[in-house]
């Protein structure tokens, strides 16, 4: 990220829009008349339990994420729960947010947790890591961290929304002792230590019992510019004999950026120099993948390669999905590399930053750094990504969408008293039912989506998704990425029959559709009863859509 950070300001080079006119009814589940697609769910082929933790979120102290997005302050006229934006809390409860990562991101390796505890009026102001990329007109809190939202406020936020906290420790500029002490502040028993007393003074004599701890972030870049081997040495030092207070601490190592296989391999090789038992100190290794390069192979330049969030053609739609679809190969690829050192797979993958990353210019709040406007394209992207995680439950133990609010693939946008839910949040709400269910192998066969890629014919897969089952309740989520073609599909669940159910669908006739502070419900899911029964049912997935079928089986 050290390279990325310096190149965040790009020009706005928009292209014309594409408005689709729907030719099929929104919901269609009548008897088959000419299906061109098939989905076969295989209940006898379980993949593993889908961890609720893959439905996690990321909140970095970056521009408008914390100050304005989450934290409005107790004395604000904006409705709040002890300083935390009330509408955000209410909306988040709907999506069952399993885990939230804080405080970064690159910010984490510049942050001293001690600045963010104790009486608010005594907390110091510090230069934010992202200061250099803020505009001059940015609010002071985006440039100079007032430290009003620290560990206690973050844990309070997690409690309010029903999430587990995931804290990222500073490996670049703090010591292993500081890390031990942060764990002590959070987890030492009531009355046991001076830090436990400080926590009690902040309102919690009982320990927070935080389990997930990231050990640095992007340590190959902004998190210290280490080699994989150097980082592995630091990782061992930071995680050896951390006081656990009876908690099964889960340490997450800073992992590769995209297809940097050498990082994964180098990290594990160095870890194993101290013996195989070292693997037991690693819960997961964190993979980051952003879909940012929409140049169709023209450049690898971090600025020039970016596309526009709002102004795009069909080819850009597919290009974004292609970039995001690389996630599946990254998961299986790193998993294979990990197996060289860890054939039993004691260590899991954690994908704690994922999402599209566009050039600046579409911010709901002009000037908010890294804010962009999520459209239907990003909802389809998000459905596709969550389906990929669901298809690999034995590999992916935790994931976090980057980021929760006012940043990149935002689920929510907020500024002062204005708030809206983006199409991405609707997808999270739809997919929440997969959490904790048994993932099932599912076969999708469908014609490809064909399109023109700079004068050459190109294609993208036709239909994909994921299925999960518990107590005869089947959840099937399906993405149709084709911007024009509906897919009439025969769906069968081998050895079972559909008795009843419901269908929830997110789509729009305009692929650029999005919600704003003024028009909050342009893109929203619709639900109705699923009226088809039997061994094989037929359903038409409209173009550019994300669909959830919730079916009761017999
Ligand atoms: O999400 C924004 C930044 O992207 C994070 O701080 C960093 O980890 C990544 O490069």
């Amino acid at each position: 990220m050290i390279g990325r950070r310096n190149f965040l300001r790009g020009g706005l080079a928009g292209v014309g829009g594409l408005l689709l006119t729907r030719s099929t009814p929104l919901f269609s589940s009548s008897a088959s008349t000419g299906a061109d697609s098939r989905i076969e769910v295989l209940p006898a082929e379980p993949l593993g339990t889908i961890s609720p933790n893959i439905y996690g979120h990321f909140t970095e102290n970056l521009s408008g994420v914390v100050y304005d997005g989450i934290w409005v302050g107790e004395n604000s006229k904006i409705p709040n729960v002890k300083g935390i934006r009330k509408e955000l809390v209410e909306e988040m409860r709907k999506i069952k947010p399993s885990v939230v990562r804080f405080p970064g991101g690159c910010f984490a390796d510049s942050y001293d947790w001690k600045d963010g505890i104790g009486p608010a009026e005594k907390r110091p102001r510090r230069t934010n890591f992202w200061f250099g990329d803020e505009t001059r007109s940015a609010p002071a809190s985006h440039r100079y961290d007032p430290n009003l939202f620290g560990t206690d406020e973050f844990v309070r936020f997690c409690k309010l929304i029903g999430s587990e906290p995931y804290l990222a420790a500073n490996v670049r500029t703090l010591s292993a002792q500081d890390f031990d002490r942060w764990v002590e502040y959070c987890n030492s028993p009531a009355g046991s230590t001076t830090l436990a007393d400080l926590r009690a003074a902040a309102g919690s004599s009982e320990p927070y019992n935080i389990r997930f701890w990231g050990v640095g972030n992007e340590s190959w870049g902004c998190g210290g510019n280490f080699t994989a081997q150097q980082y592995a040495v630091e990782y061992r030092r930071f995680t050896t004999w951390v006081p656990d207070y009876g908690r099964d601490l889960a340490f997450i190592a800073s992992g590769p950026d995209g297809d940097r296989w050498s990082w994964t391999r180098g990290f594990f090789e160095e870890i194993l120099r101290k013996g195989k038992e070292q693997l037991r100190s690693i819960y997961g290794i964190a993979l980051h993948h952003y879909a940012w390069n929409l140049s169709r192979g023209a450049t690898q330049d971090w600025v020039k390669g970016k596309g526009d969030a709002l102004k795009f053609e069909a080819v850009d739609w597919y290009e974004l999905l292609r970039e995001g679809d690389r996630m599946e190969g990254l998961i299986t690829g790193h998993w294979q590399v990990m197996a060289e050192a860890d054939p039993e797979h004691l260590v899991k993958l954690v994908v704690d930053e994922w999402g599209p990353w566009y050039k600046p210019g579409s911010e709901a709040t002009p000037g908010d750094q890294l804010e962009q406007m999520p459209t239907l394209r990003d909802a389809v992207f998000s459905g596709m990504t969550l389906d990929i995680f669901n298809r690999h439950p034995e590999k992916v133990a935790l994931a976090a969408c980057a980021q929760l609010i006012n940043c990149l693939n935002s689920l929510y946008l907020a500024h002062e008293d204005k708030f809206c839910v983006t199409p991405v949040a609707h997808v999270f709400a739809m997919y929440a039912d997969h959490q904790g269910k048994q993932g099932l192998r599912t076969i999708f066969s469908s014609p490809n989506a064909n399109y023109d890629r700079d004068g050459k014919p190109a294609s993208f897969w036709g239909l994909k998704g994921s299925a999960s089952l518990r107590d005869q309740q089947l959840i099937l989520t399906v993405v149709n990425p084709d911007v024009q073609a509906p897919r009439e599909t025969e769906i069968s669940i081998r050895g079972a029959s559909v008795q009843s159910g419901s269908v929830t669908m997110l789509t729009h006739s305009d692929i650029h559709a999005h919600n704003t502070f003024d028009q909050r419900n342009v893109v929203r899911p619709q639900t109705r009863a699923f009226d088809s029964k039997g061994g094989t049912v037929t359903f038409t997935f409209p173009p550019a859509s994300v669909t959830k079928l919730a079916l009761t089986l017999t």
Side-chain angles (χ1 to χ4, degrees):
M1 176 61 218
I2 215 157
R4 287 184 201 163
R5 185 167 84 100
N6 296 324
F7 298 105
L8 292 175
R9 290 197 197 115
L12 176 65
V15 286
L18 177 75
L19 188 73
L20 292 169
T21 313
R22 188 177 308 292
S23 55
T24 45
L26 193 55
F27 290 112
S28 170
S29 57
S30 54
S32 173
T33 51
D36 63 1
S37 303
R38 252 191 87 68
I39 298 174
E40 196 178 3
V41 184
L42 306 174
E45 298 194 37
L47 301 172
T49 303
I50 295 174
S51 168
N53 292 338
I54 66 173
Y55 291 85
H57 303 281
F58 174 33
T59 54
E60 178 163 11
N61 189 348
L62 191 180
S63 209
V65 177
V66 170
Y67 299 104
D68 203 13
I70 302 172
W71 181 258
V72 296
E74 295 189 46
N75 300 324
S76 169
K77 65 175 177 16
I78 301 160
N80 67 83
V81 191
K82 286 187 151 189
I84 294 164
R85 187 182 284 276
K86 190 160 177 268
E87 198 165 7
L88 175 65
V89 170
E90 286 164 358
E91 284 300 331
M92 284 199 76
R93 284 183 181 151
K94 298 179 188 166
I95 64 167
K96 298 193 195 151
S98 49
V99 59
V100 183
R101 178 175 181 241
F102 172 79
C106 292
F107 176 86
D109 280 289
S110 68
Y111 179 62
D112 188 343
W113 66 271
K114 297 182 287 305
D115 291 341
I117 61 166
E121 64 282 3
K122 292 207 172 135
R123 296 188 193 177
R125 280 170 294 139
R126 304 279 188 214
T127 307
N128 189 298
F129 171 88
W130 295 93
F131 158 90
D133 294 306
E134 287 292 343
T135 57
R136 279 174 182 277
S137 57
S141 59
H142 296 185
R143 287 173 292 148
Y144 305 105
D145 181 7
N147 275 304
L148 297 173
F149 189 84
T151 304
D152 305 301
E153 292 76 17
F154 172 65
V155 172
R156 188 191 306 154
F157 172 54
C158 289
K159 285 199 171 129
L160 285 169
I161 60 176
S163 272
E164 203 170 340
Y166 165 16
L167 290 172
N170 178 345
V171 171
R172 180 171 67 88
T173 58
L174 287 187
S175 69
Q177 186 181 63
D178 288 299
F179 180 38
D180 281 17
R181 295 265 160 88
W182 200 6
V183 176
E184 181 179 318
Y185 180 78
C186 293
N187 291 357
S188 60
S192 63
T193 66
T194 303
L195 289 173
D197 291 347
L198 276 178
R199 187 188 63 228
S204 181
S205 57
E206 288 311 308
Y208 292 145
N209 283 325
I210 293 179
R211 179 171 182 232
F212 294 114
W213 294 90
V215 182
N217 167 76
E218 296 195 349
S219 302
W220 40 264
C222 62
N225 213 3
F226 295 111
T227 64
Q229 290 75 11
Q230 288 168 335
Y231 171 70
V233 172
E234 291 302 307
Y235 178 90
R236 278 201 307 256
R237 202 157 64 84
F238 268 68
T239 57
T240 301
W241 290 99
V242 178
D244 65 11
Y245 308 103
R247 186 80 166 113
D248 172 27
L249 300 180
F251 296 127
I252 295 166
S254 171
D257 182 28
D259 60 2
R260 205 185 289 225
W261 316 114
S262 59
W263 179 272
T264 304
R265 187 170 282 119
F267 170 76
F268 279 101
E269 276 171 6
E270 177 56 46
I271 287 287
L272 285 191
R273 279 157 66 88
K274 290 283 290 175
K276 278 211 166 269
E277 66 281 6
Q278 297 291 323
L279 293 171
R280 299 200 178 272
S281 77
I282 316 170
Y283 174 79
I285 179 164
L287 162 69
H288 291 179
H289 174 53
Y290 287 101
W292 63 273
N293 192 339
L294 303 193
S295 73
R296 309 197 280 282
T299 179
Q300 287 302 314
D301 185 284
W302 175 247
V303 174
K304 292 190 189 127
K306 298 240 181 60
D308 196 285
L310 281 175
K311 296 173 188 149
F312 58 87
E313 301 283 0
V315 66
D316 306 305
W317 165 284
Y318 291 118
E319 201 66 15
L320 182 86
L321 296 183
R322 277 165 76 122
E323 287 297 302
D325 196 44
R326 290 179 54 216
M327 179 66 84
E328 191 144 26
L330 295 175
I331 290 170
T332 53
H334 284 292
W335 192 248
Q336 225 175 314
V337 173
M338 288 156 72
E340 294 166 10
D342 177 22
E344 291 170 69
H345 284 299
L346 298 172
V347 182
K348 306 296 178 200
L349 271 167
V350 166
V351 187
D352 58 14
E353 288 187 32
W354 65 265
W357 191 326
Y358 302 107
K359 61 172 80 167
S362 66
E363 302 82 16
T365 305
D368 266 11
Q369 190 180 171
L370 299 197
E371 188 176 301
Q372 58 196 29
M373 182 56 77
T375 66
L376 180 64
R377 176 171 60 160
D378 303 298
V380 167
F381 179 103
S382 301
M384 174 185 81
T385 305
L386 294 173
D387 283 325
I388 292 173
F389 297 154
N390 286 344
R391 292 199 292 266
H392 297 277
E394 80 290 13
K395 305 182 186 77
V396 186
L398 189 153
C401 175
Q403 299 195 11
L404 180 73
I405 184 164
N406 293 345
C407 189
L408 302 174
N409 202 35
S410 309
L411 283 81
Y412 312 98
L413 297 170
H415 179 51
E416 297 173 346
D417 59 352
K418 296 185 283 249
F419 184 86
C420 77
V421 175
T422 78
V424 176
H426 289 312
V427 169
F428 269 88
M430 288 165 68
Y431 278 57
D433 282 347
H434 278 300
Q435 294 187 19
K437 291 199 170 63
Q438 182 59 242
L440 301 178
R441 194 161 87 82
T442 303
I443 303 166
F444 295 82
S445 350
S446 183
N448 281 340
N450 296 313
Y451 64 101
D452 181 276
R453 192 173 187 252
D454 298 328
K456 296 197 184 106
S459 61
F460 190 72
W461 47 258
L463 282 186
K464 273 196 192 180
S466 62
S468 64
L469 183 68
R470 186 171 55 207
D471 302 334
Q472 299 297 92
Q473 299 300 316
L474 181 87
I475 300 297
L476 174 65
T477 45
V478 180
V479 163
N480 178 4
D482 198 307
V483 296
Q484 243 138 18
R487 292 286 168 225
E488 185 176 338
T489 307
E490 284 183 358
I491 304 168
S492 56
I493 296 107
R494 198 179 284 176
S497 188
V498 175
Q499 197 189 34
S500 61
S502 67
V503 51
T504 303
M505 186 179 290
L506 188 77
T507 187
H508 197 280
S509 56
D510 180 0
I511 59 174
H512 311 90
H514 55 277
N515 300 332
T516 63
F517 294 142
D518 297 329
Q519 293 194 288
R520 290 168 44 132
N521 290 313
V522 175
V523 187
R524 59 190 298 193
Q526 294 181 40
T527 300
R528 69 144 173 79
F530 187 76
D531 48 23
S532 210
K533 289 184 183 191
T536 299
V537 292
T538 304
F539 188 81
T540 299
F541 296 96
S545 63
V546 183
T547 304
K548 173 178 81 168
L549 301 178
L551 305 174
T552 303
L553 306 181
T554 52

